[in-house]
Amino acid sequence: MKVREIKALARETLIGRYGTLIIAGILSALLILLSAAIALAGLAAAVNWSGILAGPDGQGVRITAPGIDATINSPVQASVPLMAAGVMVFTLFLILTVILVIWLGIGKRKLMLNICRGDKYGIGDIFYGFSAEAHPFRVILTSIARFLIHNLVGLIALGILAGIQYASAHSAAATPQQFRIILYVALAVLILIQLNVDLGFAFAELSIIDRPETRIGAALGHSRAVTKGRKIKLIWMMTFSFIFWILLMSICRFTALWIVPYIRAAFTVLYLDGDGSAWQIPANRPSYQAAAVTAPEPVPAPQPESAAQPENAPQPESEPTLQPEPVPAPQPEPEPTPQPEPVPVSEPEPAAAAEPVPVPAAEPVPVTAPDPVPAPVPAAEEIPAPAAAAPAAVPEPAPAAPLGEESAFDKWFKDAYKEVLEKPAGAGTDQT
């Protein structure tokens, strides 16, 4: 995301959440100021009871500075026990002030992370640093590691610059003007290296606050991955992007209640963008975009056809459903009734009258019955067609032979089996 998109997203995220952030900021500031005030009171008591304010001559201590000319006189006699008590109070509340600054700072970062991630949040999140799961000492050690890395790179840079200065003073290979140019170039390169290292570890503490189980080395590596390709945006946001807001805050300190959360939210959005979690920001979620869109009217369910409706009633609009068109039933074509053709049968020759041929009785000759002639196929029944289709014509059956008249089949059968039919009964034992 671009810087202006990051700032716009931060503003949209803070809409309706400023109250929690302002109350949390005021509460944490009051706790820190109270602890610091008690520490300063202990220090003042220790100084007072030490007898220093009475002065060597008992006339007090005179303080002179540009625009200041005052005398502090305390006639109180020195008391070692009271002075020791004041020192102990100062030490304890100074440590408590440092703890509150660090621990409440962790809580305020956690509160901002919960808001930007769209998680549950509340004023009590500022005390998150005091919980066991926060691992505040890892955050402190990470800050110390960043400080050591910064100083190590700075010492290396100072060593390089000192070497160039020494070479320019004790070498005749180049003129002082050339060494001065080399010094300026080396200084610019070393500043860029120092800036690159510091910006790469800018989100190391926030990585541990976001994922408390992260180790220090992993947090430093994750910070470098988050800031990769975003260092120029980070420089722009740290220097020029909020310059007018910072000027407004310096003129009117009351506006810091709104400006400081806005700046923190912008840097948190930049962290989430590099972490790949920018989709969790409430202003980035689809539900946030859908809130401004009017929900479509529900489509009424279609009523059955049997339900009676008035003629002028508006019909609900629904998507047309495709219904299959009725396919007319196929009509069978009338088949002609097969008529048996007469088979010509040759008349048997007359046997000789002198020598009749005897029929052997041992092996009767079985008479094979003729194959059955298929009966005429009845006409196909009429299939009821849809109301819209015209009724199909039913073919008329072939006219049957008049009653009492001999058909062609009967003539053929009698001619083919004339001998069997005219043979007297009982002529053969097994013949039919």
Side-chain angles (χ1 to χ4, degrees):
M1 291 187 291
K2 299 180 180 179
V3 174
R4 63 172 179 272
E5 296 174 351
I6 292 173
K7 296 171 66 176
L9 196 58
R11 289 193 298 269
E12 293 180 12
T13 303
L14 294 180
I15 294 176
R17 300 174 176 88
Y18 268 111
T20 303
L21 292 170
I22 291 174
I23 295 175
I26 293 175
L27 180 60
S28 61
L30 288 177
L31 291 175
I32 293 172
L33 289 176
L34 179 61
S35 178
I38 296 175
L40 292 176
L43 178 61
V47 171
N48 182 45
W49 292 104
S50 65
I52 298 176
L53 297 179
D57 54 356
Q59 299 298 324
V61 179
R62 185 177 181 180
I63 300 175
T64 58
I68 300 176
D69 187 3
T71 301
I72 301 175
N73 186 9
S74 177
V76 179
Q77 295 180 358
S79 174
V80 175
L82 293 177
M83 182 185 66
V87 171
M88 292 178 61
V89 170
F90 168 73
T91 305
L92 291 176
F93 278 90
L94 179 63
I95 295 174
L96 180 60
T97 304
V98 174
I99 290 175
L100 286 175
V101 170
I102 297 175
W103 267 246
L104 293 178
I106 294 174
K108 287 189 287 186
R109 289 189 178 186
K110 183 63 176 178
L111 173 61
M112 186 61 69
L113 271 173
N114 290 341
I115 290 176
C116 291
R117 285 193 183 276
D119 297 334
K120 185 178 179 180
Y121 65 93
I123 300 176
D125 289 338
I126 62 173
F127 301 104
Y128 169 77
F130 296 93
S131 61
E133 62 179 4
H135 299 288
F137 291 102
R138 288 186 184 176
V139 180
I140 296 173
L141 292 176
T142 304
S143 300
I144 295 173
R146 285 185 58 195
F147 176 76
L148 294 177
I149 293 173
H150 172 82
N151 289 334
L152 179 61
V153 175
L155 289 175
I156 294 173
L158 288 177
I160 294 174
L161 294 177
I164 294 175
Q165 286 279 20
Y166 180 82
S168 64
H170 298 83
S171 177
T175 61
Q177 185 68 22
Q178 293 175 343
F179 273 109
R180 191 176 295 109
I181 295 174
I182 294 173
L183 181 64
Y184 291 156
V185 172
L187 181 62
V189 172
L190 291 174
I191 289 175
L192 291 177
I193 293 174
Q194 183 77 63
L195 188 61
N196 180 64
V197 172
D198 292 343
L199 293 176
F201 299 138
F203 294 117
E205 294 90 345
L206 191 59
S207 299
I208 295 181
I209 297 172
D210 188 20
R211 299 176 178 87
E213 68 280 357
T214 307
R215 299 292 178 179
I216 298 175
L220 295 174
H222 182 253
S223 178
R224 290 185 61 83
V226 167
T227 57
K228 184 178 181 181
R230 296 175 176 84
K231 293 184 177 66
I232 297 178
K233 297 178 184 178
L234 190 57
I235 294 173
W236 177 259
M237 291 178 63
M238 293 173 62
T239 53
F240 303 106
S241 183
F242 297 101
I243 186 66
F244 296 106
W245 295 104
I246 295 173
L247 291 176
L248 177 62
M249 187 170 53
S250 62
I251 295 172
C252 181
R253 293 299 180 93
F254 184 72
T255 58
L257 296 175
W258 287 268
I259 296 174
V260 172
Y262 171 43
I263 296 175
R264 289 179 177 175
F267 281 97
T268 306
V269 170
L270 179 62
Y271 165 78
L272 294 179
D273 182 36
D275 184 57
S277 306
W279 61 271
Q280 295 179 340
I281 301 175
N284 257 0
R285 296 184 180 180
S287 58
Y288 181 87
Q289 305 293 340
V293 181
T294 306
E297 298 181 359
V299 180
Q303 299 181 358
E305 297 180 357
S306 58
Q309 296 181 357
E311 296 180 357
N312 298 330
Q315 299 296 333
E317 297 181 1
S318 59
E319 297 182 358
T321 55
L322 300 178
Q323 298 182 355
E325 299 180 357
V327 179
Q331 300 296 334
E333 297 181 358
E335 299 181 0
T337 304
Q339 299 292 339
E341 298 179 0
V343 180
V345 180
S346 59
E347 296 182 0
E349 296 180 0
E355 295 180 2
V357 179
V359 179
E363 296 180 1
V365 179
V367 179
T368 304
D371 296 332
V373 178
V377 179
E381 295 182 359
E382 180 183 357
I383 300 175
V394 180
E396 297 180 0
L403 188 63
E405 185 178 350
E406 190 175 23
S407 63
F409 176 80
D410 295 336
K411 292 179 181 180
W412 171 80
F413 185 84
K414 288 182 179 181
D415 292 339
Y417 299 95
K418 182 178 181 181
E419 295 181 359
V420 179
L421 295 175
E422 292 180 358
K423 193 171 184 178
T429 55
D430 295 333
Q431 295 181 358
T432 57

